[in-house]
Amino acid sequence: MNVLLIGNGAREHAIAKAIARSKTKPTLFSYMKAKNPGIAELSSDVKIGSYTDLPGIVEYAKAQQADFVVIGPEDPLNNGVVDVLEKEGIQCVGPKKELAQLETSKSFTRNLMKKYDIEGCPDFKVFTRIEGIKDYMDSLPGVVVKPDGLTGGKGVKVQGDHFQTIDEALDYCKEVLEKHSSVIVEEKLEGEEFSLQCFTDGKTVVDSPPAQDHKRAFVDDKGPNTGGMGSYTDADHLLPFLKKEHVEKAHEITIAVAEAIKSETGEQYKGVMYGGWIITRDGVKLIEYNARLGDPEAMNVLPIMTSDYVELCQAIVDGTLENYQISFDKKATVCKYAVPEGYPTDPVRDEKVSLGEVSDAEVFYASVDQKEDGLYMSGSRAIAFVGVGASLDEAEKKAQAALSAVSGKVFFREDIGTKKLIQKRIDHMKALFG
Ligand code: AMP
Ligand code: GLY
């Protein structure tokens, strides 16, 4: 079996490891825009190229006789890589461009859920002009402004966090409308967030354990938003503040959304439906969907997946997911990123980074460049470390020990996965629910 993986981040390094340990013994080929040393080591061949070079990707997939292609990041999905590969008869784990709008167009997803009467949507409106926005904002208790398009997780602005007044919100809407065709204004939700990464063949939806990401750059959830500084999952496959019924609700909504996409487009969604959810006083609500695994959350769930990842991919492309038993070790995981000093606003670049003693942690390379004399950071999140243990405490200590041994101009969040921060989440929920 020949598997082609597209992507060059830590998430794809985690996917590559999961493919490499499959009992089907596949041959892995990789297409990346920059050479990730971890993925390269596991691959029989590597092609470096742009994610916009669709003919180049098709040519490489054909030359390697790929049985299927796994697409890691959202950019190639947004470029329509699945459409061109499937036209050539090459199957993909990842949705076609129209279906990937689940992530790439926030208005598509919100409108779809509204049209099919699916619960879990906050109050929202989509605007193409500035007229009418102020009146709508005045009717909401708090507002969130979202550009309608891909922004690398950095375009959403929340009242109280990124701006205070309605005038500031309106200024941001104007800015957004200069670059994007529309802007979504929605009700600000209050609660704790969790990520549920689901796999689907368009009919059946299977979950991985829920995770919680940490978007803010600095300890105690301070500082600017990032791509995600770290994340954790718990041994019982819930989270300390999360109940089974919350996960069941998110799962149920995801099934309804998969069905709605089929009705709307006539096509089955194949790949990952990763929901960012928030538990509010009014129940579980959807923040957004992504059409790919989370980064960092993929590094939590893939290392503890005990069912076969390649068989999972095969079931997704064949449409036989209902016969696949997904399973995960009952272990806790903590993932933490080492990122370059100054990240995300003004990161140092081309600085050397070296691993220390990593004995009990797993290492996933992200934005690093392997040169003759070692690893160099290229400006984004550099290396992720994952601890796996019987408890969150044990998993956290393993990740932290490896992280503390890194040398170079890096920083990380010591607090992710610690008792103190998790207690803060529990207290937040208690305060909300009384
Ligand atoms: P998104 O890019 O849609 O995931 O949004 C980024 C972050 O903004 C989320 O992780 C939330 O913390 C926050 N956010 C998005 N939508 C809302 C909302 N309606 N209410 C409160 N916070 C939100
Ligand atoms: N964990 C955030 C993301 O993957 O979008």
Side-chain angles (χ1 to χ4, degrees), residues 11 195 213 215 227-228 274 288 290 292-297:
R11 167 183 49 215
S195 305
D213 187 15
K215 294 245 179 230
Y274 144 29
E288 63 161 359
N290 294 304
R292 40 142 186 109
L293 288 171
D295 187 347
E297 297 97 315

Side-chain angles (χ1 to χ4, degrees), residues 202-221:
K203 297 172 291 189
T204 304
V205 171
V206 298
D207 305 351
S208 60
Q212 190 176 44
D213 187 15
H214 298 72
K215 294 245 179 230
R216 299 300 194 97
F218 309 136
V219 165
D220 214 19
D221 301 318

Side-chain angles (χ1 to χ4, degrees), residues 21-39:
R21 65 170 195 266
S22 166
K23 63 174 186 282
T24 66
K25 304 234 178 300
T27 305
L28 176 65
F29 299 98
S30 301
Y31 185 98
M32 316 185 222
K33 68 176 184 194
K35 190 169 175 179
N36 179 312
I39 301 174

Side-chain angles (χ1 to χ4, degrees), residues 86-148:
E86 289 193 348
K87 212 179 256 168
E88 296 292 332
I90 303 166
Q91 291 181 300
C92 294
V93 180
K96 286 187 175 173
K97 185 180 169 83
E98 190 187 7
L99 284 71
Q101 284 183 91
L102 185 67
E103 169 166 2
T104 61
S105 166
K106 291 182 192 288
S107 63
F108 171 85
T109 303
R110 290 285 188 234
N111 286 329
L112 183 82
M113 288 174 75
K114 192 168 173 185
K115 178 171 173 189
Y116 287 84
D117 207 12
I118 300 169
E119 61 185 311
C121 249
D123 204 328
F124 77 96
K125 266 191 180 163
V126 183
F127 294 90
T128 53
R129 297 182 309 149
I130 203 77
E131 283 71 35
I133 297 187
K134 186 176 180 321
D135 284 347
Y136 180 58
M137 283 182 172
D138 285 338
S139 75
L140 297 174
V143 306
V144 177
V145 178
K146 302 184 167 190
D148 198 11

Side-chain angles (χ1 to χ4, degrees), residues 106 144 146 156 186-189 193 215 287-288:
K106 291 182 192 288
V144 177
K146 302 184 167 190
V156 172
E186 62 186 39
E187 162 195 10
K188 179 181 173 181
L189 301 166
E193 294 179 40
K215 294 245 179 230
I287 299 267
E288 63 161 359

Side-chain angles (χ1 to χ4, degrees), residues 149-291:
L150 287 181
T151 57
K154 289 153 197 139
V156 172
K157 293 206 192 253
V158 179
Q159 190 169 27
D161 287 348
H162 307 102
F163 64 86
Q164 303 301 327
T165 66
I166 297 293
D167 281 344
E168 288 171 83
L170 285 169
D171 284 343
Y172 185 55
C173 288
K174 280 181 200 148
E175 202 184 296
V176 168
L177 285 171
E178 280 165 19
K179 281 188 246 151
H180 300 264
S181 58
S182 49
V183 62
I184 294 104
V185 176
E186 62 186 39
E187 162 195 10
K188 179 181 173 181
L189 301 166
E190 199 67 61
E192 274 301 316
E193 294 179 40
F194 70 98
S195 305
L196 188 66
Q197 303 169 93
C198 301
F199 298 95
T200 183
D201 60 359
K203 297 172 291 189
T204 304
V205 171
V206 298
D207 305 351
S208 60
Q212 190 176 44
D213 187 15
H214 298 72
K215 294 245 179 230
R216 299 300 194 97
F218 309 136
V219 165
D220 214 19
D221 301 318
K222 300 266 171 27
N225 273 343
T226 69
M229 293 294 290
S231 48
Y232 63 95
T233 62
D234 207 350
D236 61 359
H237 295 172
L238 290 172
L239 295 169
F241 57 86
L242 184 71
K243 297 198 180 84
K244 203 169 164 210
E245 70 213 44
H246 299 132
V247 180
E248 282 167 358
K249 180 57 77 183
H251 176 85
E252 204 180 286
I253 294 172
T254 302
I255 293 177
V257 171
E259 281 167 3
I261 291 184
K262 171 74 175 35
S263 306
E264 197 64 17
T265 66
E267 300 248 13
Q268 244 137 12
Y269 187 106
K270 288 176 184 286
V272 176
M273 292 173 75
Y274 144 29
W277 303 92
I278 182 165
I279 314 162
T280 72
R281 256 198 225 109
D282 300 326
V284 174
K285 306 272 181 190
L286 178 80
I287 299 267
E288 63 161 359
Y289 271 114
N290 294 304

